[in-house]
Amino acid sequence: MTENPAPPALWPAPLASGAVTASVQVPGSKSVTNRALVLSSIAAEPGWLRRPLRSRDTLLMASALRAMGVGIEETVSSSSTGAPVEGGEGEAWRIIPSGLHGPATVDVGNAGTVMRFLPPVAALADGPIRFDGDPRSYERPLHGVIDGLRALGARIDDEERGALPLTVHGGGALEGGRVEIDASSSSQFVSALLLSGPRFNQGVEVRHVGGTLPSMPHIRMTVDMLRRAGAQVDTPESGGEPNVWRVTAGALRGVDLTVEPDLSNAQPFLAAALVTGGRVVVPDWPEHTTQPGDRLREIFTAMGGSCELTEQGLVFTGSGRIHGIDVDLGEVGELTPGIAAVAALADSPSTLRGVAHLRLHETDRLAALTKEINELGGDVTETADGLTIRPRPLRGGTFHTYDDHRMATAGAIIGLAVEGVLIENVATTAKTLPDFPDLWTGMLGN
């Protein structure tokens, strides 16, 4: 008989002793890193990825591409020519495209970008590519990618589940063309088909035919990165039809890209300034970006803070008061857990709207936030598409994470102001934010 595994350790969330004053170097963007890995892997020439994020999701993506034959060399470099330089600005990955091939098995973990972006790449490979992952990955929707690829000529065996596990039987090419999909449960369905579209024989035309499309900034990020690599992309914003994106077939350039800090992962640190009335600097915050996390400047300012872009980076200052907010987060749903945590500590109620799709993320984030905040004494109610949060005095207790990195950081935010909060499995933050506990305690000077 096998013994039950030990429950994850509980991490005592540090209580802030006063106003936080810190500068926090936030690691690179997961969304940019994984899109860049895909585009570089199907390019016509090698490329460089500088300051990539090393986290569970990005290492799963790199391992999967290596399994399909892509060369990814890790080095330290700061040379604009790509030559390795010891003592350079940081880590760099050189991506060397080659003939994609199977057989191979891909472990997606619970990474939406891996499970959705790579089946189209696998359709371009010679041979079968099997996709499997964590138990939760079996519950996450993939029908938009599977149905779309089949309509474009791919052969996929998923035993009609519309979900993992599945096998893509690559034929070395894909005809491509026009396809209609319902991407209302994840914008990643659109991005997945667009990213590989330049390699399809006819390119691709993706038509979204469902309800409201969430997380539009991530589609804009995909389009921007495709264009950087030399792809021709027509979008609704560039005068095209609503909910229609076209990518022309053609070779992609190998790009030399420095990855921006992950602005969504900056959220807990900015929240610390808001919750404690402190001041946090995030270096290298981009002046212009497609990252959804940039909306934090607007949202957290409305909740009582102020910010300024300086030569140091983004300087965010809390006022010592937190105000409730009524906000539609449909385009920036990944920010919901952190905003909910701050809202639970505010001086007035909040309504978070437009995020029904969060029920299909790493966990059902709306149910999880409601349960965990309420078990600390809060008053959170689920709505059809979000949460209503009425602040109440909170108490300590165990904050469960459900293997969801953003639940863990949300609990840590509450723990700044509430003594005795214990985060279950804080290690899940390694999915996108490696070394979070050390960054957090370092920010607090502990």
Side-chain angles (χ1 to χ4, degrees), residues 151-169:
L152 296 171
R155 182 178 157 222
I156 300 174
D157 177 15
D158 69 332
E159 297 181 358
E160 307 305 319
R161 283 184 300 267
L164 292 172
L166 60 84
T167 299
V168 178
H169 298 275

Side-chain angles (χ1 to χ4, degrees), residues 319-360:
S319 63
R321 296 189 62 188
I322 306 170
H323 308 309
I325 192 170
D326 185 329
V327 62
D328 188 327
L329 299 175
E331 291 203 345
V332 293
E334 65 198 51
L335 304 180
T336 302
I339 292 169
V342 173
L345 303 170
D347 59 11
S348 57
S350 294
T351 300
L352 312 185
R353 296 178 282 105
V355 287
H357 61 286
L358 294 190
R359 295 186 170 100
L360 300 170

